[in-house]
Amino acid sequence: MNGVGVIPFGDRLEAVFAAYGHLCLGLDPHASVLAAWGQPDSAEGVREFGLRAIEAAADHIGIVKPQVAFFERHGAAGYAVLERLLGEARDAGLLVIADVKRGDIGSTVEAYGEAWLRPGSSLEADAMTISAYQGLGSIEQVMGAAEAAGKGLFVLAATSNPEAGAIQRAVLQQSSRAGSTVAQAITQGVIGWNQGRTDAAERALGSIGVVFGATTDLPAAGIDIDGEPPRPGLPVLAPGFGHQGAEPRELRARFGSYSAGVVANESRSLLMAGPDGLADAIARRVDEYGAAVA
C-alpha cells in the first residue's frame, strides 16, 4: 500500500503518456555524442551536455533515462554531475528513469533501492532498472519500498542483446512457473505483483514494469503479445528505438497487447542532432509515436 498522499508511479506515468506521449530521451553521453555537441569527453562536458539536453526535452516530452554508466566512467566527478542532472530533470517536471541495472540479494539490493529511489537521496530518481537474476523474490523488498514511496521499477525480462537469448528463453524446471521461459516467468511475476496491490482495480498502469528490448522477438521469448492486456497495464521500458533499428510505426506490431504501457527510449538517434537540433528532432518523433499508439 502506498503512503498517505503518495501518487503511485504508474499513475504518474499514465499522466505523462496522456500529456506528452510515449517517447523517452536516453541521456547517454557517449564520447561520440559529446564530440557532436562540441564538448570535451570529461565530467564538465557531460554536465553541459546534460543541462542542454534537459532544457530541450522539457515541455516536449515527459521522460528521460540517464544511462548511469556514461557518468560513472568519469568517477566521482561524473557522479556529482549525475546528482545535479537528476535534480534538474525532476525540477523540470520530467520523470527520471535511472538506468542502473542493479541486482543482488538481501540488504545489498535494498541498499541499491535506497540509493536510487529513496526520497531525499542525492541520487533520487522516479524509477530504476533492476535485475532479478537470482529470482523475482530477491527484489521483493525493493518492489515494496518502491511502491510505498511512489516510485517505479523496470525489471530486466527480454533484452535485445544476442547473448541474453539463451538465458531468457530457457525453460524453468523447478519453479512454481515450471514450463515457462525465464522472460515469461519474470513478466508474469511482475504482472501478478501489480495485480496483488490493494488498489489494483483503480489503476490504469501498475508501478512495477519490465524491460523488453524493442528489437527482441517477444513471442520467441515466450511473451504472448496477442492476448488480453493485463489490468492494471504493464509499464514496459523499451530501449532499441532509433539507432538500434526499431521505428515508431512498428510499436504496435512489436508489443501488441503491451503497447499502451511502452516507454519508447531513443538516445543517439536524437542526440546526434546536436544541441541546436535536439528539440526539433524530439518534436518530430513525438508526432510519429503519437500516430503509432493512437
Side-chain angles (χ1 to χ4, degrees), residues 99-204:
D99 196 352
V100 295
K101 298 183 177 71
R102 301 297 195 247
D104 213 307
I105 59 174
S107 59
T108 304
V109 75
E110 288 182 61
Y112 284 137
E114 289 181 8
W116 298 99
L117 301 179
R118 177 176 54 82
S121 168
S122 62
L123 292 169
E124 181 184 358
D126 296 291
M128 66 181 280
T129 57
I130 193 165
S131 169
Y133 183 80
Q134 295 94 336
L136 204 60
S138 69
I139 64 169
E140 187 170 337
Q141 289 179 307
V142 183
M143 291 194 290
E147 287 269 12
K151 304 294 188 178
L153 292 176
F154 290 93
V155 186
L156 301 182
T159 60
S160 57
N161 53 308
E163 301 85 353
I167 294 175
Q168 294 170 355
R169 298 180 186 184
V171 177
L172 297 176
Q173 303 297 318
Q174 298 178 354
S175 165
S176 60
R177 298 187 184 277
S180 299
T181 66
V182 171
Q184 182 183 19
I186 289 173
T187 301
Q188 291 303 315
V190 170
I191 289 172
W193 171 275
N194 287 332
Q195 291 175 338
R197 302 307 93 201
T198 56
D199 57 355
E202 304 169 19
R203 304 296 173 202

Side-chain angles (χ1 to χ4, degrees), residues 230-247:
R231 182 72 182 185
L234 181 68
V236 174
L237 176 60
F241 283 95
H243 181 81
Q244 294 181 43
E247 291 295 330

Side-chain angles (χ1 to χ4, degrees), residues 26 32 39 47 63 65 70 110 141 167-168 211 255 268 276 290 292:
S32 60
Q39 295 296 331
R47 182 188 65 238
I63 314 168
K65 181 180 73 66
F70 292 108
E110 288 182 61
Q141 289 179 307
I167 294 175
Q168 294 170 355
V211 178
F255 294 97
R268 276 175 287 181
D276 297 326

Side-chain angles (χ1 to χ4, degrees), residues 70-84:
F70 292 108
F71 297 85
E72 192 169 283
R73 72 190 184 97
H74 295 289
Y79 261 95
V81 168
L82 179 60
E83 289 181 353
R84 177 178 176 183

